[in-house]
Amino acid sequence: MTVPLGGLALTDHDAGYAALDRAGFTDVWSSEVAGTDAFTPLALAAAWQPRLRLGTAITPVFTRGPGLLAMSAAALAEAAPGRFSLGIGASSPVLVQDWNSVPFDEPFRRTRDMLRFLRAALSGETVDEAYDTFTVRRFTLERPPAVPPPILLAALRPGMLRLAAAEADGVILNWLSADDVPRALAELSDRRAGFEVAARIFVCPTEDTTYARALGRRLITSYLTVPAYAEFHRWLGRDKVLAPMWEAWAAGDRRGASAAVPDDVVDALVLHGSPERCRAEVRRYADAGVDVPVLALLPTPEVTAGGATALLTLIAQLGVDPAGASA
């Protein structure tokens, strides 16, 4: 599950993490956009639920310096030895440049360089290296983790996917359908043993189809108009079906862009329906080759009306399989 959970204060997440554990969820993965940072919700989970595995999906490689990112990762790895994975990625020009005043230059090289730096630093090495995009002089972690965390790379198109296969311990996929997974995995053919494939999956567990599709359209027009995601979906073959959305967005017609997203695209990228139906759709990702399906739980009318109690009930419904298996 993606954390923090919407509608639940961080101080109340002890109940949320306990509900996830009871429901059979194995992992909590944070995101970092404009809400919480990636590490604080996981630090709370490390203290409150010692069985949950933790991961960042993702920590941007531009918004922290190399040393600070290594220190944050090392601290969480020390707090949760053997159950933390560090997910990193380029993020986007809006988050990096517009919100954090950092030039979004050479994202592929910066991600590659940060991956190589972190691999060395988290292993306890002294790093004295001039990388292509930054230089680090004699940096050594004072508290290197006893168990260095696996490093996963957020990747969309072939170049970054192949970098993940060649140098990372896993990959994090995002904004793709279950039917798209084989296309991405085909670029990971050279991955090593133990390589892990995680995917964030947007889930809106409500049978109010009109509500779910309207929310899904807003999200799609917010994300898939970002250049990297637009190119990703062109690569996946959605250039024709999403062209009207991109054209309306470029013309400044935000409402028209949202209206131009076809229902079948919304249904493929934002799962909705009963908790049982959503769980079955998530299973399709696992069947397609995703090792860690990470649900991103979207607000529903039922949870909005029912508050924290309804949220915890929904977690139980999503996690518990009537046949005895768990999500």
Side-chain angles (χ1 to χ4, degrees):
M1 182 68 76
T2 299
V3 294
L5 297 161
L8 197 63
L10 280 179
T11 50
D12 297 329
H13 263 64
D14 53 345
Y17 292 138
L20 289 167
D21 183 59
R22 284 195 304 271
F25 285 88
T26 58
D27 293 35
V28 290
W29 290 74
S30 61
S31 61
E32 188 169 276
V33 183
T36 64
D37 70 288
F39 292 100
T40 301
L42 300 184
L44 294 173
W48 288 336
Q49 283 299 324
R51 292 197 303 180
L52 289 175
R53 197 174 73 135
L54 320 171
T56 59
I58 54 141
T59 305
V61 297
F62 284 99
T63 54
R64 292 175 181 81
L68 178 57
L69 182 51
M71 287 187 288
S72 297
L76 195 49
E78 182 178 346
R83 58 189 181 100
F84 168 58
S85 296
L86 175 64
I88 62 170
S91 190
S92 71
V94 169
L95 195 153
V96 172
Q97 194 160 289
D98 296 352
W99 297 352
N100 285 282
S101 194
V102 176
F104 189 74
D105 296 335
E106 300 189 88
F108 177 86
R109 285 183 165 190
R110 174 77 179 201
T111 304
R112 181 203 61 199
D113 292 349
M114 190 67 84
L115 172 62
R116 292 173 178 176
F117 164 77
L118 290 167
R119 176 79 71 202
L122 292 169
S123 297
E125 298 178 20
T126 295
V127 182
D128 190 9
E129 185 79 31
Y131 299 93
D132 286 347
T133 59
F134 58 82
T135 297
V136 175
R137 291 302 180 208
R138 299 202 58 76
F139 175 83
T140 309
L141 280 169
E142 292 181 5
R143 301 171 68 102
V147 183
I151 304 174
L152 283 74
L153 188 63
L156 298 176
R157 288 181 290 154
M160 204 72 85
L161 288 163
R162 291 169 189 163
L163 175 63
E167 300 193 31
D169 301 303
V171 70
I172 300 169
L173 308 174
N174 193 22
W175 276 113
L176 79 173
S177 73
D179 292 335
D180 295 327
V181 172
R183 179 77 186 272
L185 296 189
E187 303 295 335
L188 300 169
S189 58
D190 294 332
R191 59 190 184 272
R192 295 170 291 175
F195 188 93
E196 196 160 45
V197 177
R200 175 162 282 122
I201 304 165
F202 292 91
V203 178
C204 187
T206 179
E207 296 184 77
D208 186 339
T209 302
T210 300
Y211 169 90
R213 284 178 173 164
L215 177 57
R217 283 190 172 86
R218 290 198 297 273
L219 286 172
I220 287 169
T221 51
S222 296
Y223 276 89
L224 302 194
T225 52
V226 173
Y229 282 108
E231 290 304 316
F232 177 47
H233 280 269
R234 289 188 178 98
W235 178 66
L236 290 174
R238 293 196 177 92
D239 46 338
K240 291 183 180 179
V241 295
L242 290 179
M245 178 194 73
W246 291 321
E247 290 167 3
W249 186 269
D253 183 3
R254 304 301 190 245
R255 184 173 297 179
S258 180
V261 182
D263 284 348
D264 59 347
V265 173
V266 179
D267 297 346
L269 299 177
V270 180
L271 309 184
H272 56 90
S274 67
E276 294 77 18
R277 183 181 185 280
C278 289
R279 193 168 55 242
E281 289 298 306
V282 170
R283 178 64 59 189
R284 293 185 62 231
Y285 284 82
D287 293 342
V290 172
D291 302 305
V292 187
V294 183
L295 279 61
L297 190 59
L298 300 175
T300 68
E302 297 82 1
V303 170
T304 300
T309 300
L311 173 62
L312 299 182
T313 299
L314 180 57
I315 287 172
Q317 293 172 336
L318 282 170
V320 177
D321 190 312
S326 51

